[in-house]
Every structure is written in structure tokens, then in C-alpha cells.
Amino acid sequence: FGSRLVALVKQENRSPVEAVGMGKAAKGGKKLPSAPLADKKKKAKKNPLFEKAPRNYRLGGDIQPKRDLTRFVKWPKYIRLQRQKRIMLMRLKVPPAINQFNMAMDKNQAANVLKLCKKYQPETKEAKKARLMEMAKAKKDGEEVKSKKPQVLKYGLNHVTTLVENKLAKLVIIAHDVDPIELVCWLPALCRKKDVPYCIIKGKSRLGQLIHQKAASCIAITSVKPEDEKDLNTLINNFKAQFNDNLENRRRWGGGIMGIKSQHVTQRRERAIQAEKAKKLGLQLA
């Protein structure tokens, strides 16, 4: 203790007696208040039932949250092809013979057509089998079998074409998305030539459902029951005006819709040309 006191005295340049007095005063003096920032924060009591477990999304940590990665997906080839085809058909100019298939009937008209067609669906395989069995049984028993010609939808491209050529079809319904389109692009012209009403409906699969198949390029109505004659005549009159006698549809080209960047470039170019014309006019007037 003595050596430490001497060292302190030398440092402070004070006498040993003063140094001892200061030490006593410090020991017996008042306790200074602590700084306000040094207040100890009260810790909130943790509930052991609900422990906070923050997630760690670094390598080897928690499972990543679900994000919308649509733009980064490598889509299957058939999806890429159909998207590219759609854009290509928008960009290129489409001749009227093909563009007419983009101008199909509206939703309400389609609902009325399908409602009528559902009444004249052809029989299924099971129904046909049951009918033939009944006929065979009746023939075996010696009964005379009488069968009436059914009123059903006619389908198959060759069959429908023959019906149109012979003017037996009352209404021809063509799908808008037949692929390749060359299979049916001549059919509207044939219907107009033979004066057979036709219409274009969206969805080859909807026509396929009517005839118990996956898809159908076109179907024809040849005859209906007397109670449906009025509905059929209404549809025929509407479609004749909308499709058969519509010259605008036959002359309208499609496509030629460019992307947003190309549109901006074209607009800039036009503005520059107009500005140059205005400048020339100004010089001539001066």
C-alpha cells in the first residue's frame, strides 16, 4: 500500500498526508448519481410457450418462401410454340380468307346454337349397341322391325362438303381454330356459292363434344323437329346477314399489330417527319 501511495503522490505532486486525507474523503463521501443513459433496461419476461424463432434464409437454412417465378420458368416446347405462333400472327399481315376465322359469333349466339345442337346429338356407341341388340332380338322372334331415320347432326369434313354441294345442309357451323386452317378456309366460299347459311364458332372442342369426339372441324344441321323450326330460322336469318352477306369481313385484312417498342419507334419517326415538313413550310413562307 505504501509504495502505491508514494507513486500517487509523485504523480499528483502532493504530500503523503494530503493524499491520505483525499483517500479517506473519497471513501466516506457521498455516492454520486449514475448517468441517466446508463439506466438498465427492464427485460421483458419471455413466455416459454411462445418462443420467437426467427427464420434464416441463408444457405442450408430454412426453406425459401414461395415467390412468383413465372418469368424464369423454362416452359415446355409446345407452350413456347403456341405463344410464339400467337405473336407471329399478330405481327404478320393476315389475308382476308384466313382472317375471317377471327370474326366468330358472340357468346350469346354460340349459346343458342349449342342449345339447339344438343337436341340433335348422334347416339353414343353404347346406345347404338343396345339398339342393334333390340333389333336383332325382335328379328329373331319373327317380329317386323321398323326404324325411322333419325334427325341428328352431320359431321366429318367430306360428309359436310357433300351436303353443302347438294344443298341439303340448312346450317353449317365451322370451328375457328382448326389446325391446319387450310382444311376449312375454302368452306365459307363454297357455302356462299351454294347459298347455304354458315357461321363460325369459337372452339373445335365444343363441336367435338356434340358428336362425342375430342374435336370437330365443322358440323351441319340438315333437318329439325317442327317445334325447333322457328329457332333454326331465326339463327339462319341472323347468320346470313352476319356471315354470308357481309362483304366487309371478306375484305378485311388482319394482323400488322406491332409490339410496344416498335410502335414507339414508328411514332418518333412520324413526329420527326412532321417536324421537318413544318420547318420547310416555315422557310417557304419566309
Side-chain angles (χ1 to χ4, degrees):
F1 179 74
S3 60
R4 283 176 69 191
L5 187 63
V6 171
L8 277 167
V9 169
K10 282 181 181 177
Q11 198 174 352
E12 299 287 335
N13 294 323
R14 289 177 185 145
S15 65
V17 180
E18 284 175 352
V20 171
M22 275 186 73
K24 281 180 183 177
K27 279 179 184 176
K30 288 181 180 178
K31 194 178 180 183
L32 293 168
S34 59
L37 294 173
D39 287 339
K40 288 181 181 178
K41 290 178 182 177
K42 291 178 182 178
K43 287 184 179 179
K45 289 182 180 179
K46 286 183 180 178
N47 190 337
L49 294 174
F50 305 103
E51 285 186 17
K52 193 178 181 184
R55 289 185 180 182
N56 172 31
Y57 292 127
R58 298 183 73 177
L59 286 173
D62 290 289
I63 295 166
Q64 294 285 329
K66 284 188 178 179
R67 296 185 180 93
D68 185 17
L69 303 172
T70 317
R71 286 184 66 246
F72 309 102
V73 173
K74 187 173 183 182
W75 294 97
K77 196 167 186 181
Y78 80 97
I79 289 175
R80 278 181 283 157
L81 279 171
Q82 67 193 17
R83 286 178 180 177
Q84 287 164 357
K85 184 186 174 184
R86 185 171 171 271
I87 291 167
M88 189 180 74
L89 289 172
M90 280 171 66
R91 302 283 182 270
L92 299 176
K93 283 189 176 179
V94 182
I98 293 167
N99 189 51
Q100 66 182 334
F101 290 96
N102 293 331
M103 292 173 275
M105 66 174 87
D106 62 34
K107 202 174 180 181
N108 294 331
Q109 288 175 320
N112 291 333
V113 170
L114 294 171
K115 188 181 174 183
L116 179 67
C117 290
K118 269 186 181 175
K119 295 178 184 179
Y120 299 96
Q121 284 184 295
E123 61 185 356
T124 57
K125 284 183 181 178
E126 292 80 13
K128 187 180 180 182
K129 192 176 179 182
R131 180 173 58 83
L132 291 173
M133 285 292 283
E134 280 178 18
M135 282 173 69
K137 199 174 181 182
K139 217 171 187 181
K140 191 181 179 183
D141 296 340
E143 295 174 15
E144 197 177 333
V145 179
K146 286 183 180 179
S147 58
K148 199 179 178 182
K149 190 182 178 184
Q151 290 179 322
V152 290
L153 299 170
K154 308 295 179 186
Y155 60 94
L157 193 54
N158 289 344
H159 189 192
V160 171
T161 308
T162 309
L163 291 170
V164 172
E165 285 172 343
N166 297 331
K167 298 185 180 180
L168 295 172
K170 287 189 175 179
L171 178 65
V172 177
I173 305 155
I174 309 164
H176 90 297
D177 56 346
V178 178
D179 190 38
I181 198 69
E182 288 83 2
L183 289 172
V184 291
C185 65
W186 47 268
L187 193 53
L190 180 67
C191 290
R192 282 195 299 270
K193 188 181 179 184
K194 296 290 180 181
D195 199 30
V196 174
Y198 76 92
C199 60
I200 294 163
I201 193 170
K202 286 197 172 181
K204 58 187 175 184
S205 57
R206 288 157 98 188
L207 296 184
Q209 280 178 344
L210 294 171
I211 56 166
H212 314 297
Q213 291 188 3
K214 278 198 279 187
S217 59
C218 57
I219 57 172
I221 298 172
T222 51
S223 61
V224 291
K225 291 168 188 173
E227 59 264 28
D228 294 323
E229 280 284 352
K230 191 183 174 184
D231 294 340
L232 181 63
N233 289 333
T234 307
L235 290 171
I236 285 170
N237 293 333
N238 290 343
F239 293 142
K240 267 202 166 186
Q242 191 177 339
F243 294 98
N244 289 57
D245 305 331
N246 193 345
L247 286 168
E248 186 62 35
N249 281 10
R250 278 182 265 166
R251 291 173 182 167
R252 191 185 294 170
W253 281 69
I257 303 162
M258 304 309 289
I260 195 72
K261 289 180 183 176
S262 299
Q263 285 177 23
H264 288 164
V265 169
T266 312
Q267 286 166 9
R268 275 204 302 272
R269 201 175 288 152
E270 283 175 1
R271 281 200 297 271
I273 290 165
Q274 284 170 1
E276 202 172 323
K277 279 182 181 176
K279 199 176 178 183
K280 281 181 181 177
L281 280 168
L283 287 167
Q284 283 172 1
L285 290 167

